[in-house]
Amino acid sequence: MLSRVISAAVQGIDSYLIDVEVDISAGLPTFSTVGLPDAAVKESKDRVVAAVRNSGFNFPAKRVTVNLAPADIKKEGACFDLPIAVGILAAMEKEPKITNVEKLKEFCFIGELALNGVVRPIKGALPIALGLKKHGITKMIVPAFNADEASVVDGIEVFPASTLQEVVKFINGEIEIMPHRHSPEGVCSDTGGTDVDFSEVKGQHFAKRALEVAAAGGHNVIMVGPPGSGKSMLSKRLPTILPPLSFDEALETTKIHSVVGLLPPGKSLVTQRPFRAPHHTISNIALIGGGSYPKPGEVSLAHNGVLFLDEMTEFHSDVLDVLRQPLEDHVVTISRARHSLSFPAYFMLVGASNACKCGNYGHAEKKCLCNPFQIKKYQARISGPLLDRIDIHLEIPSLKVSELINDSAVPGESSANIRERVIEARKKQKDRFAGTKIHCNAQMSSRHLKKYCCLNPENKDLMRAAIGKFGFSGRAYDRILKVSRTIADLEGSPEIKKTHIAEAINYRHMDRDG
């Protein structure tokens, strides 16, 4: 007896349909799974046998063959447990436990089974639901834990299942399971109730202004200064002034976190911009993505958010240099012998570093113990090509003791006020780039620079003088134009003025030759 059940799996961050074919024939009792299953799929036979028996059903004492088609794609994970069990119960020749076989064709089944028949959650429910919509399948049975996540997709009826027995009764029409309804409207405006705020940062007005510009245009930032000057404190407050995620951005971000299994419990969508802060001992693969079965790395987990590299000069140079391509193309492509996968990687890079090994170079009160050669060698750990791709370079001075202990000082501007200006500037950019795939000034290409960053003769003279004095590269020139455009947007100016260019040049501290 043969049965067929529709399931799905995730490859990269996209899903594809899997036909679970079950054949039960005469012969010695065996259970074999074919179709390039990985270890987790092969082990499903033990989970399925126990789940079927502990759900009150008899497992056939015959030869059971399960085929996962297409057979040339590697299958991984435990999401095939439920469709395999359903297929077996439908293929039983004598007293089949699923009598309404025609109804099976309407649904996609995904879920891991516990030994007692409970349906456990799986990774990637959201990308699977999005994939089903493309293939015209409108109904899916998922673990109850994943119901919120899957029901975010419009046009898909999601039926939450708690046990294998419940699924069988539902297919046979013995019980009714109502489609799960979950409206994601309004969740993207969630600010997260964060407990950090820019008003808590004492002094550093120049750095706060620069981070406001960075947030308004989506620009990359590096901060260099002595320990305790506030670099990490400023960086961790950057997400509080970024604009809220749009629904499409939230979907794309959630897909990545769902595949990796990082979606917070009870959350159907990632509603806040990600903030990823990997340790400086991270490997190339962990940062960029990859592995035998390629998975997203930190650059993709930070998609639509912030990737913070604290103690940036302590990262291995080869690890830092793999960031060059994602910073330029906003996508990571990982190629293997059988296939090639692409992961989105548009993020704001924020780096923080000391200026020397001892950390006191540039400190107002402490003496630096490093000689000029050591200082230059330490700073050279961040390569010139990588610095070229960072729009804003900041020198963060140490705070004076009087600034630190002055409790009567007026608190700085709050994140909420800064965020309002950032959102207003982003609206201008959204209107400017309407109909394109560009969302902010940092993503502009050469064609857009010519159109939106035109300079009058006076501004060209200023740029010419700056390039002659500081030795800016061609890429640095483009970055200065992009930052100038953002500063103009913050001030509501349709044209780039001389003061905007001067401020942008002042943000290129680390790559000056003069």
Side-chain angles (χ1 to χ4, degrees), residues 131-164:
L132 292 180
K133 188 175 181 180
K134 293 179 181 177
H135 289 92
I137 297 175
T138 59
K139 297 179 181 179
M140 63 187 300
I141 294 179
V142 304
F145 184 89
N146 299 114
D148 278 352
E149 177 187 347
S151 60
V152 166
V153 182
D154 188 39
I156 297 291
E157 287 187 289
V158 176
F159 296 84
S162 299
T163 65
L164 174 61

Side-chain angles (χ1 to χ4, degrees), residues 188-352:
C188 295
S189 61
D190 178 22
T191 59
T194 179
D195 56 354
V196 297
D197 196 278
F198 261 92
S199 61
E200 300 163 348
V201 181
K202 295 183 178 181
Q204 305 298 7
H205 303 292
F206 179 76
K208 291 178 183 177
R209 165 64 178 178
L211 289 180
E212 179 182 340
V213 173
H219 302 291
N220 304 315
V221 184
I222 182 170
M223 293 179 281
V224 179
S229 55
K231 303 184 297 295
S232 299
M233 192 176 187
L234 287 163
S235 302
K236 290 175 182 177
R237 282 153 180 76
L238 179 59
T240 65
I241 64 172
L242 290 173
L245 286 168
S246 67
F247 182 69
D248 289 340
E249 285 177 326
L251 271 182
E252 198 171 34
T253 305
T254 305
K255 278 177 64 176
I256 300 169
H257 286 246
S258 174
V259 166
V260 181
L262 292 179
L263 197 61
K267 285 277 189 177
S268 59
L269 279 178
V270 174
T271 58
Q272 301 172 51
R273 293 191 179 273
F275 182 85
R276 305 292 299 181
H279 192 260
H280 64 261
T281 56
I282 192 171
S283 67
N284 292 14
I285 291 177
L287 182 64
I288 211 75
S292 302
Y293 306 112
K295 297 293 184 184
E298 289 291 335
V299 295
S300 295
L301 292 172
H303 181 60
N304 290 323
V306 176
L307 177 66
F308 176 46
L309 303 184
D310 199 6
E311 303 298 343
M312 193 171 178
T313 44
E314 297 300 325
F315 284 74
H316 291 290
S317 58
D318 58 333
V319 173
L320 289 178
D321 283 339
V322 299
L323 290 171
R324 295 189 201 174
Q325 184 262 337
L327 286 174
E328 202 72 25
D329 301 333
H330 311 305
V331 67
V332 172
T333 300
I334 300 170
S335 297
R336 295 290 181 264
R338 288 181 174 270
H339 54 263
S340 180
L341 298 175
S342 293
F343 301 116
Y346 173 64
F347 56 92
M348 283 182 62
L349 175 65
V350 179

Side-chain angles (χ1 to χ4, degrees), residues 215-218 243 246 248-249 252 273 303-304 330 346 422 425-444 448 489:
S246 67
D248 289 340
E249 285 177 326
E252 198 171 34
R273 293 191 179 273
H303 181 60
N304 290 323
H330 311 305
Y346 173 64
V422 169
R426 285 287 185 110
K427 286 179 180 177
K428 293 182 176 67
Q429 295 165 50
K430 184 179 180 180
D431 294 338
R432 178 182 301 135
F433 304 120
T436 71
K437 295 182 179 181
I438 294 178
H439 303 292
C440 58
N441 290 332
Q443 297 176 315
M444 285 193 289
H448 298 104
D489 289 340

Side-chain angles (χ1 to χ4, degrees), residues 18 131 163 173 211 286 370 435 440 459 485:
I18 296 292
T163 65
L211 289 180
C370 307
C440 58
N459 291 341
R485 180 66 266 172

Side-chain angles (χ1 to χ4, degrees), residues 3 105 108 120 178 185 198-199 259 325 339 396 475:
S3 69
K105 299 177 183 179
C108 171
R120 287 178 168 166
M178 298 303 296
E185 293 180 6
F198 261 92
S199 61
V259 166
Q325 184 262 337
H339 54 263
I396 309 295
R475 183 179 280 116

Side-chain angles (χ1 to χ4, degrees), residues 303-420:
H303 181 60
N304 290 323
V306 176
L307 177 66
F308 176 46
L309 303 184
D310 199 6
E311 303 298 343
M312 193 171 178
T313 44
E314 297 300 325
F315 284 74
H316 291 290
S317 58
D318 58 333
V319 173
L320 289 178
D321 283 339
V322 299
L323 290 171
R324 295 189 201 174
Q325 184 262 337
L327 286 174
E328 202 72 25
D329 301 333
H330 311 305
V331 67
V332 172
T333 300
I334 300 170
S335 297
R336 295 290 181 264
R338 288 181 174 270
H339 54 263
S340 180
L341 298 175
S342 293
F343 301 116
Y346 173 64
F347 56 92
M348 283 182 62
L349 175 65
V350 179
S353 170
N354 297 330
C356 67
K357 188 69 176 177
C358 76
N360 293 331
Y361 181 70
H363 199 285
E365 299 173 358
K366 295 182 180 180
K367 183 179 179 181
C368 177
L369 304 176
C370 307
N371 60 48
F373 174 76
Q374 290 173 322
I375 294 172
K376 190 172 183 180
K377 183 180 178 181
Y378 186 78
Q379 294 180 354
R381 293 184 181 183
I382 304 174
S383 66
L386 179 58
L387 278 177
D388 254 1
R389 290 167 168 82
I390 300 177
D391 308 43
I392 296 175
H393 307 169
L394 299 177
E395 186 176 12
I396 309 295
S398 58
L399 291 178
K400 296 178 181 179
V401 177
S402 58
E403 292 179 287
L404 287 172
I405 64 176
N406 185 11
D407 294 330
S408 61
V410 178
E413 193 173 16
S414 69
S415 293
N417 290 342
I418 300 173
R419 194 176 194 231
E420 288 179 7

